[in-house]
Amino acid sequence: MHQVSDYRDHQDFGPIIADRTWNAWWKDAGLYLSDVTHHLTEMVDGRSLPTALVAHDESGYLGSAFLIDCDLEERQQYKPWVAAVWVEETKRKRGVGKSLVEEAAKAAAELGYRVSYICCHKELEAFYTAFGWSVLERDVGPLSVLSFEF
């Protein structure tokens, strides 16, 4: 059984979160691992956003997700965004991703936000709609991503 915790309480997972986030999204965008590491320091500085969640069990790190101001430059009017959802490949299809996304949306609600947003590539649409996210727009931006609201 896994649990999802506030990253502030599990900063020892910082290096692995930075590695996974950088390799999945930031590396090909021309950013550096140190940029992700710096972003993680912002998640523990006392502000409500950005923040991060980490999924873990007795074996260690399972995955993570961020809750940030904006994850889609073309839609800055929406706030907050669940972003950088990552689950270790060997731990997928066990409810970890769902738990991370649900806890991030719950954290947004606790901060007073009525709606949370997320964007993804088309192949992940069924994952998010399966547990209540609604497609807000299709083919947004140069990556033709979907945006969702919950």
Side-chain angles (χ1 to χ4, degrees):
M1 187 81 182
H2 69 271
Q3 62 185 41
V4 175
S5 302
D6 190 313
Y7 170 65
R8 291 175 188 96
D9 299 326
H10 293 277
Q11 294 178 46
D12 53 314
F13 290 122
I16 196 167
I17 294 170
D19 176 75
R20 299 310 191 264
T21 302
W22 182 68
N23 278 294
W25 298 286
W26 293 34
K27 182 179 180 179
D28 290 340
L31 298 166
Y32 300 99
L33 180 60
S34 61
D35 294 324
V36 183
T37 303
H38 175 74
H39 191 50
L40 286 170
T41 64
E42 296 173 336
M43 296 185 180
V44 296
D45 70 2
R47 292 180 289 167
S48 57
L49 292 177
T51 192
L53 298 167
V54 61
H56 54 95
D57 65 11
E58 65 283 343
S59 69
Y61 174 83
L62 303 177
S64 49
F66 297 164
L67 185 62
I68 62 175
D69 283 322
C70 184
D71 194 33
L72 194 55
E73 190 172 313
E74 296 83 4
R75 298 296 181 265
Q76 294 189 25
Q77 70 270 29
Y78 301 135
K79 177 179 177 180
W81 290 80
V82 178
V85 178
W86 177 263
V87 176
E88 294 287 77
E89 286 188 39
T90 60
K91 305 299 182 181
R92 293 178 183 169
K93 301 197 184 296
R94 299 181 188 181
V96 175
K98 179 182 178 190
S99 295
L100 283 164
V101 172
E102 287 178 341
E103 286 299 317
K106 180 179 169 187
E110 289 171 357
L111 292 172
Y113 294 99
R114 187 181 60 79
V115 177
S116 297
Y117 301 91
I118 197 164
C119 66
C120 71
H121 294 284
K122 293 174 187 172
E123 63 269 12
L124 290 172
E125 178 177 353
F127 173 75
Y128 292 106
T129 58
F131 52 96
W133 288 75
S134 301
V135 175
L136 182 62
E137 297 177 283
R138 296 179 188 279
D139 299 319
V140 179
L143 298 176
S144 296
V145 297
L146 300 170
S147 62
F148 291 83
E149 64 182 355
F150 183 78

